[in-house]
Amino acid sequence: MDDMELEDIAKALVAPSKGILAADESTGTIKKRLDTINTPSTEETRRDYRELLLSTKGAGDYISGVILYDETIRQKAKDGRQLTDLINGQGIIPGIKVDTGAKPLAFSEGELVTEGLDGLRDRLAEYHKLGARFAKWRAVISIGESAPSQYCIDTNAHALARYAALCQEAGIVPIVEPEVLMDGDHNIDECYAVTETTLKTVFDELYKQRVVLEQMLLKPNMVVSGMSCPEQAGVEEVATKTLYCFEQTVPAAVPGIVFLSGGQSEQKATEHLNAMNQMGTYPWEISYSFGRALQASALAAWQGKKENEEAAQAAFLHRAKLTSAARDGEYSPDME
Ligand code: 13P
């Protein structure tokens, strides 16, 4: 993998039938996930859970890359191997979350700006040595009464572009993630408008900061109804509006769009991805970088117990297989 060019890494991450597993939950977020199965969050349980997923036989058929958290990229598997060696052995490319989280944005109550630029050049050099070949930075945009402000979109877009340029300089493919959150009672058209403005601003900044579009991937939200909107848009509408939004905003030079699942159920995220891949050909690959929508069943099957490891791996492999089918436009709900 060492001699791969950034373009080749980006293309490999969105190869046919494959997509990315987001397993980069911060220590706070993974604790919330483990709480749901009454499992304490310790360095060891976190390692056990991630090792379980990544050592699943056949995972490499559906998973091109995995986004890790700082703790995980340094951890060893139970047999003493570095986890990154185990991952590479599965034919999966290791990636790393490099932002340090979304913090309150000054003078804009309720809005957030993602931090992590200080010292990033040095951290990227270290992550490259540890085996990371791609990275992720997540900006969070919420929809509310008077949100988002253009100020919030601008500051987040500026940081995303600074991050992306530093990644490319370090020989790491940046995944640029501006997530418009699903929380709220807004309808799908409000989500469309905010997503469109956000993406226009992000690509403007990427251009100004000389980011090479062929050497990055975009990780966006789908255009969907707010979680508590009484009128939920159907699969066809989500797929049509999402694709139209990206046609308006994402340059053809970008090799792939890898969607986040953002709180959609496993099945809904899969149905949406499938519908988009059935709708025709687009300049970019349309794939996945799911966290919850690839892990929910596996986590529930595991319950933190050694004797459930096999069942959890089977659940993970099944979900990955269905998501991969959707990435190729070949999924149907009867495969569930
Ligand atoms: P979800 O698919 O659970 O939204 O996670 C993807 C991710 O990495 C969010 O940053």
Side-chain angles (χ1 to χ4, degrees), residues 16-17 270-280 286-288 321-332 335:
S17 312
T270 309
E271 285 175 7
H272 290 152
L273 180 66
N274 186 58
M276 285 188 268
N277 275 296
Q278 284 184 342
M279 276 180 180
I286 298 169
S287 188
Y288 51 94
K321 188 176 176 179
L322 299 194
T323 313
S324 154
R327 184 252 172 277
D328 293 340
E330 286 166 6
Y331 162 86
S332 72
M335 295 160 76

Side-chain angles (χ1 to χ4, degrees), residues 48 52 67 78 89 125 135 147 150 160 174 196 200 210 215-216 220 227 265 267 272 276 287-288 293 295 309:
D48 288 351
L52 174 163
I67 315 173
K78 287 191 218 76
Q150 188 62 43
L160 273 168
E196 184 182 47
K200 282 186 172 160
R210 308 175 182 184
Q215 300 177 355
M216 62 161 275
M227 207 96 79
S265 69
Q267 187 166 343
H272 290 152
M276 285 188 268
S287 188
Y288 51 94
Q295 293 185 49
E309 274 179 13

Side-chain angles (χ1 to χ4, degrees), residues 93 131 199:
I93 305 173
L199 290 174

Side-chain angles (χ1 to χ4, degrees), residues 35 37 48 69 75 81-82 98-99 124 148-149 155 169 192 194 206 211 213 215 251 280 302 305 320 332:
D35 280 350
I37 56 163
D48 288 351
Y69 187 59
Q75 276 177 323
R81 268 187 303 167
Q82 285 297 136
V98 301
D99 67 68
L124 286 167
S149 63
T155 45
E169 188 193 78
Y192 180 99
V194 172
L206 292 170
V211 173
L213 299 180
Q215 300 177 355
W302 182 47
K305 299 200 170 87
S332 72

Side-chain angles (χ1 to χ4, degrees), residues 188-315:
I188 188 171
D189 294 321
E190 290 171 86
C191 177
Y192 180 99
V194 172
T195 304
E196 184 182 47
T197 304
T198 299
L199 290 174
K200 282 186 172 160
T201 311
V202 166
F203 279 100
D204 188 40
E205 278 299 335
L206 292 170
Y207 170 69
K208 284 185 193 148
Q209 298 190 42
R210 308 175 182 184
V211 173
V212 183
L213 299 180
E214 289 85 346
Q215 300 177 355
M216 62 161 275
L217 294 173
L218 178 71
K219 174 164 174 168
N221 53 287
M222 297 179 194
V223 173
V224 291
S225 315
M227 207 96 79
S228 40
C229 176
E231 293 268 312
Q232 289 291 312
V235 173
E236 181 89 11
E237 187 178 1
V238 167
T240 309
K241 289 188 171 164
T242 302
L243 284 173
Y244 189 74
C245 186
F246 293 114
E247 283 184 289
Q248 303 306 311
T249 52
V250 185
V254 174
I257 294 177
V258 290
F259 285 101
L260 57 93
S261 60
Q264 303 178 54
S265 69
E266 290 176 322
Q267 187 166 343
K268 267 283 163 286
T270 309
E271 285 175 7
H272 290 152
L273 180 66
N274 186 58
M276 285 188 268
N277 275 296
Q278 284 184 342
M279 276 180 180
T281 38
Y282 290 88
W284 357 263
E285 299 295 334
I286 298 169
S287 188
Y288 51 94
S289 176
F290 290 168
R292 284 161 285 182
L294 274 171
Q295 293 185 49
S297 300
L299 190 65
W302 182 47
Q303 293 293 318
K305 299 200 170 87
K306 183 137 194 36
E307 62 267 30
N308 293 339
E309 274 179 13
E310 223 170 284
Q313 291 190 325

